Amino acid sequence: RHSELQDCFDVHDASWEEQMFWGWHNDVHVFDTKTQSWFQPEIQGGAPPQPRAAHTCAVLGNKGYVFGGRVLQTRMNDLHYLNLDTWTWSGRIPVTGENPKHRSWHTLTPIADDKLFLFGGLSADNIPLSDGWIHNVITNCWKQLTHLPKTRPRLWHTACLGKENEIMVFGGSKDDLLSLDTGHCNDLLIFQTQPYSLLRSCLDCIGKNAIILERQISLLPPKLLQQVLKKITFWTAANHREEQRAQKEESENKYLWISSN
C-alpha cells in the first residue's frame, strides 16, 4: 500500500489500483534453517543494487553475489556482493575486460572457492541466451566459454555443481515465456569447466566398450568392478535412449517425406 512504500521499492508505472502497487525491491531477508524462521538483517552500509527482479544470487565464502536481473523496463549486467558478516554492500563491482550481456532469468553457480558460472537467461532484446561465463572474484574478470552449444538456450532453469565440477542445468524454457510460453524443457545439460579425472575417463571408456572388454572386466578388483558395472548400466541405457530417439526422428522424417509427396 501507499503507506508501505519505502526507498527500497520501485513502483511499476502501471501498477497503481485502489491504493495498491506492485514493483521491485532490493531489501534483504534471511531464512534460518535451524529455527525455521525468517528475519530481516539491518544493512550497515554500502551502495545496494537497484531494486530488481529475475536476477540471480550465489554464495562464495561470506559473500552473497547478485548479478543482472530486470530493473524497471531494462535488464542489467551488473555484479554486486553483500558481506554476510558485516551486512554491507560492495556497490557495483568494477569489472576488467569483456562483460556478459544484460539479462534476467539466468543462473549463477559457485564452481570453486573463487569462481562463479553464469549461464543463459533472457537478453535485453528478449532473446533466449545459451552463453556461459566464468567470473573470477579475485581478479574481477569474466571469461566466456566458447565451446557451449548455441542451439540450447535456457531461461528460468536451475543449475547446480556436480561431484567433478560439471555444471548440471535442468528445466526452464527455450523461449521468451512472456510471449510464447511453448518451450518448456525437461532435458539435462551438462557443462564441464575442467577435464574429468583419469579414473572417470577410464570408467567411461570401459562402460562404452563393455562388449569388447567383456572377458577382462571380470578380472577387475571388487570395488573397481562395482564402479565399472554402474558405468556399463549407464551407457547401455544412454545408447538405448539414443537409438530410440534416432528411430523416432527417422519415422517422423519418413512421414514428412510421404506427406510432401
Side-chain angles (χ1 to χ4, degrees):
R1 296 184 179 278
H2 190 274
S3 60
E4 298 172 326
L5 296 181
Q6 300 173 3
D7 293 338
C8 65
F9 190 87
D10 276 347
V11 177
H12 190 278
D13 293 340
S15 71
W16 182 85
E17 182 178 351
E18 297 181 359
Q19 297 300 314
M20 295 294 292
F21 298 84
W22 67 271
W24 296 266
H25 280 278
N26 68 350
D27 52 355
V28 177
H29 297 261
V30 178
F31 183 72
D32 189 321
T33 58
K34 293 182 178 179
T35 63
Q36 300 286 296
S37 61
W38 288 94
F39 71 93
Q40 186 172 5
E42 182 178 348
I43 302 302
Q44 299 299 316
Q50 294 168 267
R52 63 191 61 204
H55 53 284
T56 191
C57 302
V59 174
L60 275 183
N62 68 336
K63 295 182 176 67
Y65 287 85
V66 175
F67 179 84
R70 179 180 172 181
V71 174
L72 297 176
Q73 302 306 314
T74 64
R75 293 185 175 92
M76 307 294 287
N77 71 339
D78 53 342
L79 183 67
H80 304 251
Y81 74 74
L82 178 64
N83 187 305
L84 303 177
D85 293 329
T86 62
W87 298 112
T88 55
W89 282 106
S90 64
R92 180 167 185 159
I93 300 172
V95 174
T96 57
E98 193 177 8
N99 279 0
K101 290 181 178 179
H102 299 63
R103 68 191 67 206
S104 58
W105 292 341
H106 46 289
T107 50
L108 191 66
T109 309
I111 58 173
D113 292 339
D114 58 355
K115 291 182 176 63
L116 299 165
F117 177 77
L118 171 72
F119 178 70
L122 190 68
S123 74
D125 301 323
N126 294 329
I127 304 298
L129 299 170
S130 60
D131 55 339
W133 297 75
I134 292 179
H135 179 72
N136 188 311
V137 300
I138 297 176
T139 62
N140 285 332
C141 292
W142 287 99
K143 179 181 179 182
Q144 185 173 10
L145 300 182
T146 57
H147 59 276
L148 300 186
K150 303 299 183 184
T151 58
R152 308 290 286 277
R154 287 292 184 276
L155 53 111
W156 261 11
H157 52 284
T158 60
C160 66
L161 187 66
K163 292 182 178 180
E164 298 194 45
N165 285 341
E166 68 271 65
I167 296 98
M168 293 175 283
V169 172
F170 180 77
S173 175
K174 60 184 178 181
D175 290 328
D176 175 7
L177 296 180
L178 296 177
S179 58
L180 296 175
D181 199 20
T182 59
H184 291 83
C185 304
N186 69 344
D187 52 343
L188 180 68
L189 308 181
I190 300 178
F191 304 127
Q192 287 179 248
T193 58
Q194 64 183 38
Y196 283 134
S197 66
L198 180 58
L199 174 61
R200 167 69 182 269
S201 299
C202 290
L203 291 173
D204 281 334
C205 183
I206 296 172
K208 293 177 183 178
N209 299 281
I211 296 177
I212 300 174
L213 302 172
E214 184 177 3
R215 294 183 179 179
Q216 288 80 18
I217 289 175
S218 61
L219 304 176
L220 292 170
K223 288 186 177 180
L224 192 57
L225 178 60
Q226 188 176 8
Q227 292 178 283
V228 166
L229 293 177
K230 288 182 179 179
K231 282 293 181 181
I232 292 174
T233 301
F234 170 82
W235 284 109
T236 300
N239 292 334
H240 178 67
R241 287 194 300 269
E242 184 63 26
E243 290 173 0
Q244 286 186 320
R245 186 189 63 80
Q247 290 174 0
K248 183 179 179 181
E249 287 185 357
E250 184 179 354
S251 298
E252 290 175 351
N253 292 335
K254 183 177 180 181
Y255 174 78
L256 290 174
W257 183 86
I258 293 174
S259 300
S260 63
N261 285 273

